[in-house]
């Protein structure tokens, strides 16, 4: 557990457990830095809360946090974590970097994020994905149009041949043989 690891490393850490939401701003403001170990959080709300209260946030490098925080916080506040072993690489350096001038950095570069901004960013990402797929969709649309056209021609041809053989083959053959023409086998 984290508590065992903190004791083993002789870290000055306090584990509070579940804290009422209204008490969080005071705790964030009193903390030297906020460290999250989560690799599966979808938005990083706890990090956002901490940094909006002026507490430097140390976050792992992973797809979701790279997308959210890579351009918003100093690279030195990031660390690597192996999802299989849980071994952290660079965590102590990231904590030291966040504690060394982190609050001043946040005062000069406040993290600004609202749900509308998050929704707009997500919408922009979806629109990029749609645009990236547009050429494939257009190619598929053209292929389906050509295949549809060819299939219609084939079906019409088969129906025409069937109608000709069913209703016109015998009369046409009789007519041709009357004149001595045997062109139809």
């Amino acid at each position: 557990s984290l508590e065992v690891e903190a004791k083993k490393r002789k870290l000055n850490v306090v584990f509070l457990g579940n804290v009422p939401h209204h008490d969080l701003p005071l705790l964030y403001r009193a903390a030297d830095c906020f460290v999250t170990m989560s690799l599966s959080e979808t938005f990083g709300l706890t990090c956002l809360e901490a940094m909006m209260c002026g507490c430097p946030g140390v976050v792992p490098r992973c797809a979701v946090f790279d997308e959210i925080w890579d351009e918003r916080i100093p690279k030195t506040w990031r660390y690597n974590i192996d999802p299989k072993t849980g071994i952290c690489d660079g965590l102590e350096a990231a904590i030291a970097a966040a504690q060394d001038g982190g609050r001043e950095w946040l005062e000069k570069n406040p993290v600004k994020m609202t749900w509308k901004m998050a929704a707009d960013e997500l919408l922009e990402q979806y629109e990029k994905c749609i645009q990236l797929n547009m050429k494939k969709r257009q190619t598929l649309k053209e292929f389906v149009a050509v295949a549809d056209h060819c299939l219609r021609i084939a079906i019409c041809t088969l129906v025409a041949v069937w109608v000709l053989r069913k209703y016109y083959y015998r009369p046409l053959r009789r007519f041709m043989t009357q004149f001595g023409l045997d062109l139809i086998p």
Side-chain angles (χ1 to χ4, degrees):
S1 79
L2 288 176
E3 292 180 42
V4 172
E5 188 66 23
K7 285 179 185 176
K8 185 173 116 182
R9 293 178 181 242
K10 297 178 183 166
L11 297 175
N12 184 17
V13 179
V14 177
F15 292 93
L16 299 176
N18 196 6
V19 175
H21 189 67
H22 64 273
D23 290 339
L24 290 176
L26 290 173
L27 293 171
Y28 286 138
R29 288 184 190 111
D32 294 328
C33 72
F34 174 82
V35 178
T36 184
M37 303 296 282
S38 174
L39 294 176
S40 61
E41 194 171 340
T42 57
F43 183 74
L45 189 58
T46 55
C47 302
L48 178 62
E49 288 173 346
M51 288 189 255
M52 290 190 81
C53 289
C55 180
V58 175
V59 296
R61 288 185 182 89
C62 63
V64 69
F65 287 144
D66 291 349
E67 187 177 313
I68 296 169
W69 297 110
D70 213 39
E71 301 298 320
R72 290 189 171 94
I73 64 173
K75 307 278 189 248
T76 56
W77 295 6
R78 307 291 308 279
Y79 67 96
N80 295 317
I81 186 168
D82 186 327
K84 293 178 185 164
T85 64
I87 296 174
C88 300
D89 179 33
L91 178 58
E92 291 174 15
I95 291 171
Q99 290 174 333
D100 184 29
R103 290 189 182 280
E104 292 79 15
W105 188 90
L106 283 173
E107 284 178 20
K108 292 177 187 168
N109 308 283
V111 174
K112 296 175 186 165
M113 179 61 72
T114 63
W115 285 115
K116 180 178 179 355
M117 290 169 65
D120 289 344
E121 277 186 27
L122 185 60
L123 179 62
E124 184 181 320
Q125 290 171 4
Y126 283 145
E127 287 172 350
K128 283 180 186 176
C129 289
I130 290 168
Q131 288 304 317
L132 289 171
N133 199 29
M134 195 59 74
K135 184 173 171 98
K136 287 181 184 177
R137 289 178 64 199
Q138 185 62 33
T139 302
L140 181 62
K141 184 178 178 182
E142 291 169 6
F143 172 78
V144 167
V146 169
D148 178 62
H149 184 71
C150 292
L151 186 61
R152 288 172 188 258
I153 289 172
I155 289 172
C156 288
T157 301
L158 288 173
V159 169
V161 167
W162 179 80
V163 167
L164 287 174
R165 288 193 67 99
K166 175 97 174 153
Y167 298 105
Y168 294 101
Y169 179 74
R170 286 186 188 145
L172 185 58
R173 186 170 175 107
R174 259 185 276 136
F175 176 77
M176 301 279 289
T177 51
Q178 284 178 352
F179 293 103
L181 301 170
D182 198 13
L183 299 175
I184 302 175

